[in-house]
Amino acid sequence: MANFLFTGKLRMVKDGYTEQEFSGGLIKKRLRAQMICGDSTQYIEATALVWKDAHKNVIRTYKKVDGGKDAKLDVQWSDRFDPEIVDSVAGYRRWLIDTDTFGHRKELEEAGLDEELAKSKKKKKEFIHAADFVDYLKKVLENEKSKDMVFKVSGNVEFSYSANKDMFYRNFVPQKIYRVNDDAEQSCQGSMKLYFTEGAIDDTMVDETGDYIINACTMYYDSNIKANAFTPMMFKINKSHPKAKGFKMLFSKASGDEVKELGATVDFINGATRVAITEDMLSDEQRELLELGMTTMEEISAEMGGSVYGDRVTETRLTGLMKGYSSGVQDTVYTSEQIMRKPIKEEEPVDLFSGDEDDDEDGI
């Protein structure tokens, strides 16, 4: 339902890897890593369940079928690294880590350096079980050589709900990790389908902050209720953004109890963003020289690096339309009550009068 694409440097966090064993020998592997993407810092989390007794592990996945629907495929644990089997598995059921760049590999191929090319190709690993992906990612993060590498990491944005705390949680779950050039632009992008109702736009603070606030929901699969659910989210877009007017129009399309759908691209921000230098940021000495004509704002700005870090922010900003939504807003069958409903598992009703009367000597 929601995807992300981060470009930046990966770092292992303290106590970032854990293993938890459950009764029966089922082990949960969990790996958390930090991703530094320019001014933003995000955290990715990969998990896997695997039996301690390898004989119990059977990988239930899907294989590619040309021109048809993907078919179910069971792979024995001992066969999971077989190249032909790995290649037969559908791409969305595979995990990937590549610690060399496409450009470097192409250079080696064009130069006819077959031995070096073979070594480069070995740096590209594909897995059909999350446990192997977690294990190899741990190795990469623990290797000093990877600290200065820039990676593109893509995967799913997963949500969960805690009824005890009445809170929704968001995790960035990686699936594809591949190295890119060191000078690649670093960013935290994503795309998701948004569901909204009448009054989705909040413009009460636009004069003060410059931002329109859009209140919408996105859909996810909730494992507790074993069904799709909706999580509320808040998005922002500055009034000066070239697409602000268009988004304002699109998010005004719902009326009454109807729920509309719109696919959008976003930037995930978590950090202190850079802001342009203004006169109120200058020292008394700088302002005095500016008034005397001894310097200019352009000269001061260049001397100070052109910008400074502002306050730390954590937010999701709209950037454009997701592929497939060039026609704009779409109708849905949902109601406002449905998308605002908390994903709480309903208890089975207990019939106080059920059972054999002989089991209750006193009756009622």
Side-chain angles (χ1 to χ4, degrees), residues 28-31 45-49 95 130-131 133-134 158 173-174:
K28 180 180 181 180
K29 298 185 176 190
R30 179 173 180 258
L31 179 64
E45 180 176 321
T47 59
L49 292 172
W95 289 262
F133 173 75
V134 170
E158 296 187 358
V173 181

Side-chain angles (χ1 to χ4, degrees), residues 41-57:
T41 299
Q42 302 291 351
Y43 291 86
I44 61 173
E45 180 176 321
T47 59
L49 292 172
V50 63
W51 291 104
K52 191 173 183 178
D53 181 357
H55 293 91
K56 289 185 177 182
N57 292 309

